[in-house]
């Protein structure tokens, strides 16, 4: 069955530290992968997406993600976290079935000053 | 651009009451959908529409109805609210049903059923 796993429910990092949020997917075909961010009280905003080509994808706000087919992973990274990055992050896979997107359960990021 | 607009932002209902969550988009998107977000469960698809007059069920459709009379609007109806429907509801739209199209989300409606 198609699924997306975000193993970390909560992550806390200090401002200026590097960040990596994990995402693993299960999908039979070539996946379309997305990372969304949800700030408190807001809707979801697209950070970046991967469809094909270069496996290292650049997004907004200084984020990047790397697609690793052998590991079925699409981890999100940022070299230096800012306090404004505190939010919940969702990984999603686009599917050709009914549901179009399957979302992970999210990772809530806390940034320490 | 307003993007995707949801109303209301907050709502408290009594068990058995009915209500409609409104969703409107001004981007001329064909594909619209409703999700519910519950702690530890991510977003789950309730209903979706690929164009005016066409709707279909998602992963968790029970207790909800939708209709799509115009491209812009996609209301979600709760016919008889239950405490299990306490959740945050998001409406989303995208240009097409294609997998490579970005979904734009509204700011959500926080619904509490008591």
């Amino acid at each position: 069955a198609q699924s997306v796993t975000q193993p970390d429910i909560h992550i806390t990092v200090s401002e200026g530290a590097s960040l990596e949020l994990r995402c693993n997917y299960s999908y039979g075909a070539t996946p379309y992968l997305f990372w969304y961010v949800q700030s408190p009280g807001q809707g979801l905003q697209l950070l970046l997406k991967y469809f094909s080509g270069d496996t290292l994808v650049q997004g907004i706000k200084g984020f990047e993600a790397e697609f690793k087919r052998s590991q079925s992973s699409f981890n999100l990274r940022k070299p230096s976290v800012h306090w404004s990055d505190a939010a919940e992050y969702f990984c999603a896979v686009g599917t050709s079935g009914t549901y179009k997107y399957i979302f992970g359960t999210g990772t809530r990021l806390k940034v320490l000053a | 651009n307003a993007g995707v607009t949801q109303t209301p932002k907050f709502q408290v209902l009594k068990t058995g009451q009915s209500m409609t969550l409104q969703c409107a988009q001004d981007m001329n998107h064909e594909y619209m959908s409703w999700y519910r977000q519950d702690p530890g469960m991510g977003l789950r698809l309730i209903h979706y529409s690929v164009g005016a007059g066409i709707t279909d069920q998602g992963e968790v459709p029970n207790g909800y109805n939708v209709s799509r009379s115009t491209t812009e609007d996609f209301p979600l109806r709760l016919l008889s609210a239950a405490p299990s429907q306490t959740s945050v509801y998001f409406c989303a739209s995208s240009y097409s049903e294609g997998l490579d199209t970005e979904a734009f989300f509204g700011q959500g409606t926080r619904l509490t059923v008591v």
Side-chain angles (χ1 to χ4, degrees), chain A residues 30-34 49-54 57, chain B residues 99-102:
Chain A
T30 300
Y32 293 77
L33 296 161
F34 305 81
K49 57 190 176 186
Y50 171 79
F51 301 143
S52 64
D54 192 345
V57 180
Chain B
L99 300 178
D100 59 344
T101 54
E102 173 188 353

Side-chain angles (χ1 to χ4, degrees), chain A residues 40-52:
Chain A
Q42 302 296 313
L44 278 71
Q45 180 185 20
L46 181 70
L47 281 176
L48 47 78
K49 57 190 176 186
Y50 171 79
F51 301 143
S52 64

